[in-house]
Amino acid sequence: MMRGLKDKVIIVTGAAQGIGRAIALRLHEEGANVVVADRNKSGAEKVALEITSQGGNALAVGLDVAERDEWKGALLEVVNRFHRIDGLVNNAGVTRDSTLLKMSDEDWDLVIDVNLRGAWLGCQLTVPYLKNNGGSIVNLSSESRWGAFGQSNYAAAKSGLVGFTRTVAIEHARHGIRANAVAPGSTNTPMLEAVPEGVRQSWIPNIPLGREADPKEIAAAAVFLLSEDASYITGQIIGVNGGSSL
Ligand code: NAD
């Protein structure tokens, strides 16, 4: 077991599937109360049911992370139910890949709004609650933050999260709040289903461990950063990528 997660209240955005779902389930295993937040409310409800049917505490909330008013409503629901907030995982993310010259305004704006603005809103509105409890924030960056073909929007958002995460860590260390990011490499989730199988296979030779990540392997790093075992870690970006950045 990781230290200090029992009975803590942790919000995970984009938790209806993929990495967010794996983080929610692992947090439950560690004894936390989990807020399963997603714009896909019925998907969030399914994950919450997986947790409650195992005797855990979970609350499903519908939330579009790019919308300030939706955050306000979601946080009221969380506080009504659990009376505190101890952690936040800004995991909701989308891709809309195309090369620079073909990219539409809509695809640029959506990717920046969900991945970057969503994490900013989440931190701005949740930090006042975390201030009372210490607390820990984990943002989901990506290996693509270094730049990736067809991903000028996504690379900008995910590298933007690096500076953002480090700044939150600097500003709120005095309140006992830690902020870190996990930067996954290729991970086997529904997000990657948009990528043709041949392209996915072509990435494998560049991964020293020779395979994509399982979502549970990303969740392990995120949950570690939320836990007391990471009590002296803040402002860090942890690559979980099978060595692909080497
Ligand atoms: P996914 O597409 O499988 O799941 C993303 C979830 O986010 C979905 O449940 C979706 O409904 C939700 N979501 C999307 N937009 C939302 C919004 N506006 N508000 C609330 N919820 C929203 O993705 P995943 O692979 O599990 O990715 C999770 C995170 O990890 C993302 O931030 C992604 O960018 C990042 N990441 C993924 C990979 C990968 O290879 N899968 C690699 C690096 C980083």
Side-chain angles (χ1 to χ4, degrees), residues 80-215:
N80 280 339
R81 166 74 185 271
F82 293 117
H83 311 292
R84 58 186 287 147
I85 303 173
D86 301 285
L88 170 66
V89 184
N90 287 305
N91 166 81
V94 288
T95 51
R96 288 290 184 279
D97 293 0
S98 61
T99 50
L100 174 65
L101 298 186
K102 290 184 184 152
M103 188 167 291
S104 67
D105 287 40
E106 289 73 22
D107 286 350
W108 174 267
D109 288 346
L110 179 74
V111 167
I112 300 293
D113 281 355
V114 176
N115 293 279
L116 187 55
R117 177 181 161 79
W120 170 68
L121 282 174
C123 288
Q124 191 181 60
L125 294 169
T126 307
V127 157
Y129 296 99
L130 297 181
K131 266 183 175 178
N132 303 322
N133 304 336
S136 178
I137 295 166
V138 174
N139 296 324
L140 268 287
S141 179
S142 169
E143 185 68 11
S144 294
R145 73 190 184 284
W146 301 117
F149 192 93
Q151 292 198 315
S152 58
N153 50 1
Y154 188 74
K158 293 304 193 184
S159 59
L161 279 173
V162 172
F164 174 67
T165 302
R166 292 165 54 102
T167 301
V168 173
I170 291 166
E171 291 184 0
H172 291 288
R174 76 191 78 162
H175 302 120
I177 298 173
R178 296 180 297 103
N180 294 285
V182 174
S186 299
T187 307
N188 187 11
T189 71
M191 179 178 271
L192 275 206
E193 284 164 16
V195 179
E197 187 56 32
V199 174
R200 259 170 97 159
Q201 285 305 323
S202 74
W203 293 338
I204 303 288
N206 297 322
I207 307 171
L209 288 180
R211 61 176 177 82
E212 293 176 345
D214 184 277

